[in-house]
């Protein structure tokens, strides 16, 4: 895997363009010189060739840079890649299929990314990959197609950046979230136990206690949706859609102990949602439901709430409609802290807006959110 002949074909390796590395070079104008006059003069005189300059930049990079032939076989690795991923003997891995350096469980995905970069010019993925010492590191990998001066493909460039620390931080944060979820579930269980013990000797309050326990149990299920336990890996994660989230969050209020349903959810189009949108949506729905229990339709035995979802080209709307509760004489004069928090969460995290319509027969709320901040990208 010597550098000689290969560099003659990779003189464009440092010129990324819309089709990947190897796009036609742009001349440096006097106003935008990367080097001073003496350096440019040295290049002109042959004391420092473009080939030498390119090699110095690649060899000095802290990222692992690997050059593959169009078939995906290794042709060159810079010193960082040799130190962290491969043997110091540069000839030992020459011609080896690049996908073989990845774990068995991700190899098919790597081969698919190689196919993508050949077709589109650029591909990107992240995964664990064992290093030379045997320790697995987490790599963010960018693949680019390299072209010669005539626009013909001459190889593929793989640039891998070690983001193990970032991945570990994400894991630690997830662990903290799961610990918090576990503690909250224990609190629900403790409260249910206290309710049962307190009502055991007072028959008249036992129906009320049963209803209260059912609601705490439902809140626990909502918590499980937001923080799925990894203990049982065989158990599938609930479908992360807007409709599934709404059903889970509103289950505690849906006629527990009653003869009829209190919540009517009209699904509409299935909307897959991002992880980052779940918490904000949960806060918004919880605030609306809490207010309905305190002052609105759910404060009355016969009141109901209907919730529908509509998907448009660039936005998604939720319509919350309360009916059958106490009549509304006039809108509230001041917005409470909960309403302010909803406004900030919706506009800040989801880029949306909320409109309240205080109709005499009940509150109607329109929530609009742009699809690009809410939808889960297809995988």
């Amino acid at each position: 895997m010597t550098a000689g002949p290969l560099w003659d074909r990779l003189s464009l390796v440092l010129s990324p363009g819309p089709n990947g590395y190897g796009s036609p070079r742009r001349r440096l104008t006097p106003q935008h010189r990367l080097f001073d006059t003496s350096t440019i003069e040295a290049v002109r005189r042959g004391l420092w060739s473009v080939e030498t300059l390119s090699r110095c930049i690649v060899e000095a990079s802290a990222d692992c840079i690997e050059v593959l032939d169009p078939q995906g076989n290794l042709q060159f690795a810079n010193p960082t890649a040799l130190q962290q991923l491969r043997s110091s003997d540069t000839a030992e891995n020459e011609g080896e299929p690049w996908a073989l350096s990845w774990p068995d469980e991700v190899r098919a995905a790597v081969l698919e990314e190689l196919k993508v970069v050949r077709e589109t010019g650029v591909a990107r993925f992240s995964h664990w990959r064992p290093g030379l010492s045997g320790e697995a590191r987490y790599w963010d990998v960018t693949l680019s197609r390299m072209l010669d001066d005539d626009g013909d493909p001459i190889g593929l460039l793989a640039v891998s950046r070690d983001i193990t620390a970032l991945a570990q931080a994400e894991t630690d944060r997830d662990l903290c979230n799961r610990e918090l979820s576990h503690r909250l579930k224990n609190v629900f269980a403790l409260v249910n136990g206290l309710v049962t013990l307190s009502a055991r000797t007072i028959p008249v309050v036992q129906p009320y206690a049963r209803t209260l326990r059912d609601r705490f149990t439902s809140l626990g299920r909502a918590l499980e949706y937001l923080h799925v336990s990894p203990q049982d890996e065989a158990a599938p994660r609930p479908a992360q859609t807007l409709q599934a989230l709404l059903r889970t969050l509103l289950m505690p209020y849906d006629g527990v102990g009653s003869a009829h349903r209190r919540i009517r959810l009209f699904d509409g189009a299935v909307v897959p949602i991002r992880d980052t949108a779940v918490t904000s949506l949960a806060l918004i729905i919880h605030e609306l439901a809490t207010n309905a229990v305190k002052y609105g339709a759910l404060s009355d035995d016969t009141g109901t709430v209907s919730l529908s979802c509509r998907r448009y080209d660039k936005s998604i709307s939720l319509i919350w409609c309360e009916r059958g509760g106490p009549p509304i004489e006039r809108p509230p004069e001041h917005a409470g802290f909960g309403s302010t928090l909803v406004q900030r969460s919706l506009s800040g995290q989801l880029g949306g807006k909320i409109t309240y319509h205080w109709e005499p027969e009940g509150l109607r709320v329109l929530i609009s959110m742009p699809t690009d901040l809410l939808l889960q990208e297809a995988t």
Side-chain angles (χ1 to χ4, degrees):
M1 198 166 13
T2 57
L6 184 63
W7 283 104
D8 295 336
R9 304 184 64 208
L10 300 181
S11 60
L12 303 180
V13 72
L14 298 177
S15 301
N19 295 320
Y21 282 77
S23 299
R25 294 189 298 270
R26 294 176 295 177
R27 296 184 181 276
L28 292 174
T29 62
Q31 297 93 330
H32 298 86
R33 292 190 185 278
L34 181 61
F35 306 102
D36 59 25
T37 305
S38 61
T39 303
I40 299 300
E41 182 62 27
V43 172
R44 288 174 178 170
R45 292 168 54 192
L47 300 179
W48 191 358
S49 66
V50 173
E51 176 186 343
T52 301
L53 176 61
S54 301
R55 184 185 299 112
C56 289
I57 294 175
V58 171
E59 291 181 351
S61 174
D63 294 331
C64 295
I65 299 177
E66 298 167 290
V67 177
L68 320 177
D69 64 20
Q71 290 72 42
N73 301 313
L74 184 68
Q75 298 297 308
F76 169 82
N78 74 337
T80 304
L82 292 174
Q83 293 170 6
Q84 299 192 33
L85 297 173
R86 301 187 176 277
S87 169
S88 56
D89 184 354
T90 57
E92 183 176 329
N93 305 114
E94 186 174 359
E96 174 187 286
W98 184 68
L100 292 180
S101 64
W102 291 87
D104 295 342
E105 62 271 17
V106 73
R107 192 164 299 151
V110 171
L111 290 172
E112 182 62 27
E113 295 296 338
L114 289 173
K115 179 181 178 182
V116 170
V117 71
R118 294 188 191 101
E119 295 175 351
T120 66
V122 178
R124 186 173 181 178
F125 67 95
S126 300
H127 207 278
W128 293 94
R129 182 184 183 186
L132 185 61
S133 62
E135 178 187 6
R137 310 289 293 174
Y138 199 72
W139 300 95
D140 179 38
V141 183
T142 301
L143 296 172
S144 302
R145 182 176 56 195
M146 298 188 297
L147 309 175
D148 60 18
D149 289 323
D150 297 325
D152 297 323
I154 60 174
L156 305 172
L157 182 69
V159 179
S160 303
R161 175 161 295 180
D162 186 352
I163 58 171
T164 307
L166 178 60
Q168 187 60 52
E170 291 287 342
T171 300
D172 292 343
R173 185 177 66 178
D174 183 66
L175 181 62
C176 290
N177 288 337
R178 294 186 187 280
E179 181 181 356
L180 176 61
S181 174
H182 177 72
R183 292 180 182 274
L184 288 175
K185 287 167 64 177
N186 286 343
V187 169
F188 287 143
L190 175 61
V191 171
N192 270 342
L194 291 174
V195 170
T196 300
L197 290 174
S198 300
R200 180 172 297 173
T201 58
I202 311 176
V204 70
V205 301
Q206 287 183 5
Y208 169 78
R210 189 183 309 106
T211 299
L212 191 59
R213 288 197 304 269
D214 289 342
R215 296 209 171 192
F216 278 121
T217 300
S218 296
L219 287 172
R221 294 194 188 103
L223 189 65
E224 289 175 357
Y225 180 88
L226 297 175
H227 303 286
V228 179
S229 173
Q231 295 178 355
D232 185 6
E233 297 182 357
R237 178 188 176 100
Q240 188 153 299
T241 65
L242 179 58
Q243 290 80 358
L245 175 63
L246 294 176
R247 282 193 295 269
T248 304
L249 294 173
L250 294 173
M251 188 184 302
Y253 311 95
D254 193 12
V256 177
S258 301
H260 67 284
R261 298 187 62 182
R262 308 293 302 278
I263 306 293
R264 299 171 184 174
L265 179 61
F266 301 95
D267 286 349
V270 175
V271 180
I273 56 175
R274 300 174 182 265
D275 289 341
T276 52
V278 170
T279 303
S280 296
L281 285 170
L283 185 151
I284 293 167
I285 297 302
H286 173 74
E287 182 63 26
L288 290 175
T290 299
N291 288 337
V293 170
K294 289 181 177 179
Y295 319 109
L298 298 183
S299 66
D300 190 285
D301 292 339
T302 60
T304 61
V305 172
S306 64
L307 183 59
S308 59
C309 174
R310 298 176 184 175
R311 180 172 178 177
Y312 304 96
D313 289 340
K314 295 184 179 181
S315 66
I316 293 173
S317 295
L318 290 177
I319 302 175
W320 173 283
C321 186
E322 300 182 23
R323 290 295 182 265
I328 298 178
E329 297 180 359
R330 61 181 182 275
E333 297 180 358
H334 303 286
F337 174 75
S339 298
T340 303
L341 189 61
V342 166
Q343 291 276 10
R344 291 179 179 176
S345 297
L346 190 59
S347 60
Q349 278 78 44
L350 300 177
K353 61 181 181 179
I354 185 170
T355 306
Y356 295 88
H357 299 276
W358 302 95
E359 301 170 349
E361 59 272 25
L363 173 65
R364 186 166 59 91
V365 181
L366 175 61
I367 300 173
S368 179
M369 299 164 285
T371 55
D372 56 347
L373 294 181
L374 181 66
L375 290 183
Q376 174 66 47
E377 297 178 352
T379 56

